[in-house]
Amino acid sequence: MCIRDRVSTQSTGTSARSTMSGWTRSDDPMGVSKVSARPVAPEGWPRGVPYNGQSAIMASKPALTGHRNATRKRGQEAHKRRAEPVEFVTGLAEICNPHVEDKEQCFKLIQAQNFDFVTYGETFWEALLTGGILSAGGTMEALAVKCDLNVFESPYDEVDAISRLADQVLQRHRHLREVLDTVLCRITLWIDRYDPDTQRKMAKFIVNHALAHGAGLQTVAKLQQEKRLVEGGEAMTFCSMVFKEFLSKATIEKLNRALKEGKAQSIITLISSAKRTPSNLYNALEAEDLAGLAKWMRTHTREKRCDEVQDRLDEELGDIHSLEETSTRITLLQSQYVLTDKDIVVCVFRA
């Protein structure tokens, strides 16, 4: 083969490769000649991916991003009217009010309605406890129709029947248990707005729920955190009702376990800060007809009280001004922490 034929063959091969690659030369009027320079990739093109004109055309195909679906879902949520909780209570009242004396029939009608408890779980419990809907400050919203099947307006003896209805609902809809705990804590934050009879019925429902489902007394823990109720004495009064109801159906050990499961602190934190001593706690419990609980606490917290007195004595003995003043302070600590002479002597020597 001559040199001219070789040059012609190489030229033809180069032309074919340039046609397949899609890159063109500026001096080629047909756009299918030899390769000149690699086209510049547009902004945003992924690294390591070869770019040519055909790749750009293929990459420009439209693709779904899901934004339209998300917008459509948000639109469906936006269509829910804010007045629906009121309509939910109205619907609940329409089926329960005519059969308020027959709790089993009420439960059957509630199940037959197939209510949306996922959305209106809190509204359901508020209606079952108070008859309506709670608003800010513990007040009740003005409703055209109230649910007569509720704890607040029912006789004390019928609270057990309402508790059994609540248990049946929780067996069918287990996710409502946490919702019920939340609503109970919310109501107890404004327990001082209700009369003593309503507080007793509320305490009975809380105890029934705790015993039936092994739930902790979260309401006690919530009251311990509410300084307004603690300093005013309402927290101690209501918790005494809860303890009395609990001990009428279970043991002190079970009560202690329920307090721990509810993440409650020591019962002494229910006493106002100015009177927060074991002596005042025991006196308050005895005044609420809880002498058994006071005796149990006095026996089972002896070591803890001795340790606290020993820490206080470390401070007192470290700054002695006179023996008479120190003796008076030790006698006061013995009285406040309800310790015997033997216990206080041991604490003094340990300090």
Side-chain angles (χ1 to χ4, degrees):
M1 182 181 296
C2 60
I3 297 177
R4 184 172 57 185
D5 294 338
R6 293 179 180 176
V7 172
S8 176
T9 303
Q10 295 176 357
S11 177
T12 304
T14 304
S15 178
R17 288 193 299 271
S18 63
T19 303
M20 294 300 294
S21 65
W23 301 335
T24 61
R25 290 182 54 178
S26 57
D27 58 349
D28 185 3
M30 300 301 293
V32 294
S33 185
K34 294 183 178 180
V35 179
S36 58
R38 181 186 296 272
V40 179
E43 184 178 359
W45 189 262
R47 295 181 180 180
V49 179
Y51 172 78
N52 52 44
Q54 295 178 355
S55 300
I57 295 174
M58 294 176 63
S60 63
K61 291 183 179 180
L64 293 177
T65 61
H67 178 72
R68 181 181 178 184
N69 294 338
T71 305
R72 184 184 305 166
K73 186 174 182 180
R74 288 196 302 268
Q76 293 175 356
E77 295 292 335
H79 285 311
K80 290 186 177 181
R81 293 171 294 176
R82 298 303 179 186
E84 283 187 356
V86 177
E87 297 179 3
F88 178 86
V89 175
T90 303
L92 184 64
E94 290 177 354
I95 65 174
C96 292
N97 289 357
H99 309 279
V100 68
E101 300 297 333
D102 189 354
K103 306 300 188 295
E104 292 294 333
Q105 182 64 20
C106 290
F107 171 72
K108 294 177 181 179
L109 293 174
I110 290 173
Q111 293 301 316
Q113 291 295 319
N114 195 21
F115 285 129
D116 183 10
F117 287 118
V118 176
T119 305
Y120 302 111
E122 292 189 7
T123 305
F124 171 75
W125 291 124
E126 289 180 1
L128 190 65
L129 293 171
T130 66
I133 301 176
L134 288 175
S135 59
T139 58
M140 303 293 298
E141 292 187 10
L143 300 178
V145 180
K146 293 183 62 177
C147 181
D148 294 337
L149 180 66
N150 64 80
V151 173
F152 280 15
E153 298 178 353
S154 299
Y156 177 81
D157 296 335
E158 294 185 7
V159 175
D160 289 336
I162 299 177
S163 298
R164 286 192 294 269
L165 185 146
D167 295 341
Q168 292 174 334
V169 174
L170 289 174
Q171 289 176 3
R172 294 291 186 91
H173 309 276
R174 296 185 180 275
H175 66 280
L176 289 179
R177 174 176 165 178
E178 295 182 0
V179 181
L180 175 57
D181 293 334
T182 301
V183 174
L184 289 175
C185 291
R186 184 186 307 164
I187 295 176
T188 52
L189 288 178
W190 306 103
I191 201 66
D192 56 328
R193 295 181 177 271
Y194 311 124
D195 57 87
D197 186 54
T198 302
Q199 294 183 18
R200 285 182 63 238
K201 291 183 286 187
M202 187 68 181
K204 188 173 187 179
F205 184 89
I206 291 173
V207 171
N208 290 340
H209 170 60
L211 292 175
H213 302 280
L217 293 175
Q218 300 181 17
T219 51
V220 176
K222 181 61 68 174
L223 287 173
Q224 290 174 333
Q225 301 171 3
E226 191 66 18
K227 185 177 180 181
R228 173 180 61 88
L229 298 177
V230 171
E231 298 298 332
E234 293 85 0
M236 185 64 194
T237 302
F238 179 70
C239 288
S240 297
M241 296 181 184
V242 174
F243 299 156
K244 192 181 302 182
E245 288 287 346
F246 201 104
L247 293 177
S248 66
K249 302 177 181 180
T251 61
I252 296 179
E253 289 76 14
K254 199 166 185 178
L255 171 61
N256 187 39
R257 186 161 57 251
L259 290 172
K260 291 181 179 179
E261 292 177 355
K263 298 181 180 179
Q265 303 174 14
S266 176
I267 297 179
I268 198 173
T269 56
L270 294 170
I271 301 293
S272 62
S273 58
K275 302 178 180 180
R276 192 169 295 172
T277 62
S279 176
N280 290 331
L281 173 61
Y282 303 150
N283 292 335
L285 292 176
E286 291 173 355
E288 297 292 342
D289 296 331
L290 291 170
L293 178 59
K295 182 179 179 181
W296 185 90
M297 293 188 62
R298 190 181 294 110
T299 303
H300 288 75
T301 60
R302 173 180 167 275
E303 292 295 334
K304 182 178 180 181
R305 286 183 280 122
C306 288
D307 292 339
E308 293 180 358
V309 169
Q310 184 175 341
D311 294 338
R312 296 283 299 273
L313 287 176
D314 289 339
E315 301 176 0
E316 294 291 338
L317 297 179
D319 188 17
I320 298 178
H321 296 286
S322 65
L323 294 177
E324 293 77 6
E325 182 180 353
T326 303
S327 177
T328 303
R329 292 291 301 169
I330 293 175
T331 304
L332 179 61
L333 288 175
Q334 179 182 359
S335 174
Q336 291 177 342
Y337 285 85
V338 194
L339 297 177
T340 63
D341 293 339
K342 180 180 178 180
D343 293 333
I344 199 67
V345 169
V346 172
C347 292
V348 170
F349 276 97
R350 287 180 179 178

